[in-house]
Amino acid sequence: MKITKKTILNILLFAFILSFFVTPLGDYSKVLLNKVFSFSPAITDEENRNKITDYDWRLKDENWDFFNFKQSKGKVVFINFWASWVLPCEAELQSIQKFYDAYKGDVDFYIITNEEREPVEAFMKQQNLTFPVTYLFIGEKAAIPYLKAPSSYLIDKEGNIVIHKKGIADWDNTKIFNLVDKLLTK
């Protein structure tokens, strides 16, 4: 029996596809594909923007200390719901890290998870992420509804939700940076 080029190519293609399911290469490839297909989120038209009316929201910081979201009233705020075990979150968090690096100190960042502290710290170290993590209390009242991870909000100084993105997005781009610069100067 003679093996043709077509048969060899089919076997290689099958092995490549199979690698996505049974090897670490698959995880890295899935993260890369999520990054490639993430785009800048859409900006909500001014007349369609919802507004935060109640900033009373109890959270925990990266040191596991309680604080209240009220501290961000009157500031530009970025909120992201994520989980370390959700593959699209892993892809999105790298762009959030770059966004954080560009605007830390000017924008209040709430990168929120409902996971336990230890696995989150291990994940952050493994991924070389340095933004502050915020921990959510499930069942507590919140300024905005908790959404399935990944999902994000960008809020202006008046509490208007300028961006509400369900799913993965690219936060490290000129469109977002120009928008944030504009929101900061208002």
Side-chain angles (χ1 to χ4, degrees):
M1 177 171 141
K2 185 176 176 187
I3 298 177
T4 65
K5 278 186 180 180
K6 185 177 178 182
T7 303
I8 292 172
L9 288 175
N10 283 337
I11 291 170
L12 289 174
L13 180 61
F14 179 75
F16 178 72
I17 292 170
L18 185 62
S19 73
F20 277 86
F21 298 102
V22 296
T23 69
L25 171 67
D27 286 339
Y28 298 124
S29 301
K30 290 175 200 170
V31 169
L32 179 63
L33 286 173
N34 272 283
K35 286 180 184 179
V36 168
F37 291 106
S38 67
F39 302 102
S40 183
I43 300 168
T44 306
D45 294 330
E46 285 190 42
E47 61 273 4
N48 296 327
R49 291 180 184 169
N50 293 323
K51 188 171 186 151
I52 294 177
T53 56
D54 185 2
Y55 278 77
D56 188 20
W57 187 12
R58 195 169 69 132
L59 300 158
K60 281 188 182 179
D61 66 17
E62 67 271 11
N63 297 317
W64 216 244
D65 295 324
F66 292 100
F67 72 97
N68 197 298
F69 184 67
K70 287 180 185 178
Q71 71 187 28
S72 292
K73 190 170 187 174
K75 299 179 181 179
V76 175
V77 178
F78 175 76
I79 299 171
N80 176 267
F81 293 105
W82 70 283
S84 62
W85 52 269
V86 176
L87 193 71
C89 292
E90 184 177 340
E92 182 180 46
L93 289 174
Q94 294 301 326
S95 75
I96 290 173
Q97 179 66 54
K98 291 175 184 170
F99 180 32
Y100 171 76
D101 290 341
Y103 288 97
K104 64 183 167 192
D106 297 321
V107 173
D108 282 2
F109 285 84
Y110 292 87
I111 319 301
I112 301 173
T113 185
N114 62 359
E115 295 178 78
E116 293 295 322
R117 186 175 176 187
E118 292 78 19
V120 168
E121 288 175 346
F123 176 83
M124 296 287 290
K125 185 175 180 180
Q126 177 189 22
Q127 298 296 320
N128 294 319
L129 300 170
T130 61
F131 52 74
V133 174
T134 304
Y135 295 90
L136 177 70
F137 292 102
I138 300 293
E140 293 264 332
K141 92 175 187 177
I144 56 171
Y146 174 74
L147 298 173
K148 182 179 174 186
S151 59
S152 303
Y153 295 88
L154 182 64
I155 302 163
D156 69 13
K157 293 178 182 179
E158 291 78 38
N160 298 304
I161 299 172
V162 179
I163 294 176
H164 174 204
K165 173 65 176 155
K166 294 178 186 174
I168 188 172
D170 175 19
W171 296 98
D172 176 33
N173 63 71
T174 306
K175 175 184 167 185
I176 295 299
F177 289 4
N178 290 339
L179 172 63
V180 171
D181 289 340
K182 183 179 170 185
L183 294 175
L184 288 169
T185 59
K186 278 188 171 181

